[in-house]
Every structure is written in C-alpha cells, then in structure tokens.
Amino acid sequence: MKVRTIDPKSLTDFKLLAFDCFGTLVDWESGIYDELHPLLGRLPASNPLKKDRVSLLKRFDEIEVSICASKPDLRYPSLLSEAYIGLADALDLPAPTKPEADAFGASVGKWPIFPDTIEALKQLKKRYKLVILSNVDKKSFAQVLKGALAGIEFDAVYVAEDIRSYKPDLKNFQYLITHARDELGVQMEQILMTAKGLKSDHVPAMKMGMTSAWISRGEGNDELKAVEGKVAFTWRFDTMGEMAAAAEREFGK
C-alpha cells in the first residue's frame, strides 16, 4: 500500500524495478540459518542463542556488514566464509576448518526462495524492466538464476563484484542509475528501488533521491525506529505478491 501519500507518483510512473535479491526475493535468513547448523550444534545448551534464531542472525548480520565495509574488494563467497569464522569466534567456539568455512561461503545457490517470488516477478515483468542490485558475485548469482530463480529473465544484473563495493555504499546506487540510463535508457526518476533491507537499500535510496518500495517480509515498527528519519519509501508491501497485485490494479485502471 502507499504509505508516503505526499509523493504524487503511482506505480504506473516507473519503467524499471531494481531489486535487492537476498531478503527480498530469496529467503536470506532461512538460507543462512540452515547453513549455520554446524556452529549451532557446537553451542552448549545453556547459550541463549542456541534457540534464538532472530538474535543469532542479527549477530551474523552485524559481522557481515562490518566485513562489507572494511573489505569492499572481497568476493562474496570469501566474505561469507570470513563472517562464518567471525561468528564462531564471537560465540567462543573453536575456529571452523577451512573446508567448512568455504562450504558456507559457497552455499548461496542453495538458499530457498520466498513462495510468492516467481509468480510476482512474472507478473511484474509484463509491466517493467527487472534489474538486480545485489551484494554478491557473478558466480553465486548465476547459481541462483539456475536454481531458485530459474525461468526469470532480468534485464540487467549489477553485483558487488563488478562495482567493487557493497551496499549501502552510494557507489552501488550510482552504478545502478548510470548503467540503467546508458544500457537500458531508463532515467533515475523511472526507477523504483524495491527491497527489504532498510539500512542497506532504503537509507541510501533516500540519500540518492530515489523512490523506493519496502517489501517488509514481516518486519515492523522496531526495525523502522532504528532508521527513523533516514528512509522515505513510498510503498510498503508485506510480500512481492502484494506488490504485483497492486501494480496490476493500477495498470488496469
């Protein structure tokens, strides 16, 4: 639904949807959590994170974000491996073996997709150009295209490996804007940034003056309070399916 009513734009005013992939289209949290089970199995029963999925993922995310900022040239599988080792250290667990850490880093292609994603993208493809702006590498995303996102054609895929920085760095968004203009003939005003990540996508989108839609995926007021005054998304949808349905209604007018 439209939540920023002072914005006069409608969903029909855009030509391109720019997606964050992991968290928005692919279930990043479930994928990461499933792959963290070797570490979970080593945690003593007394550790509060043993059965606290939300807090464990938050701890992992904090470590990953820190590495993204300090090592922008690091390819995503290596970044994931470092984050895995960093989490083990934060949990006072023995350092994982290199093969174990490497397996975690290579797990992107196995992460599950949200059940509404494929049908929503097929509907939206009838109305918009679809572009990915993701904090991954080309090889990892190619695996996702062959697996979870099989059958979906994107008009462009822009990844951190090519940009040599990770979101929320504004370079990633400038790269999107420039390449969408030069390669796809779409101006910034015609791009709708579509993402779950408030800090990684919506905060920089506001800084860049971009219009955005929040795919909340169950998040709520607590997450919004953490970025109060730093985001200005025009639409909020719980799922991609809701967004696709809203677009159909507006285009059908």
Side-chain angles (χ1 to χ4, degrees), residues 12 49 138 190 240:
T12 60
L49 294 181
K138 290 179 283 190
Q190 299 168 313
M240 284 299 307

Side-chain angles (χ1 to χ4, degrees), residues 4 197-207 212 214 223-234:
R4 189 167 178 261
L198 292 169
K199 294 179 181 178
S200 60
D201 292 279
H202 291 284
V203 169
M206 179 178 172
K207 290 179 180 178
S212 65
W214 184 32
E223 290 78 14
L224 284 175
K225 286 179 182 178
V227 292
E228 188 173 0
K230 299 179 181 179
V231 299
F233 49 84
T234 298

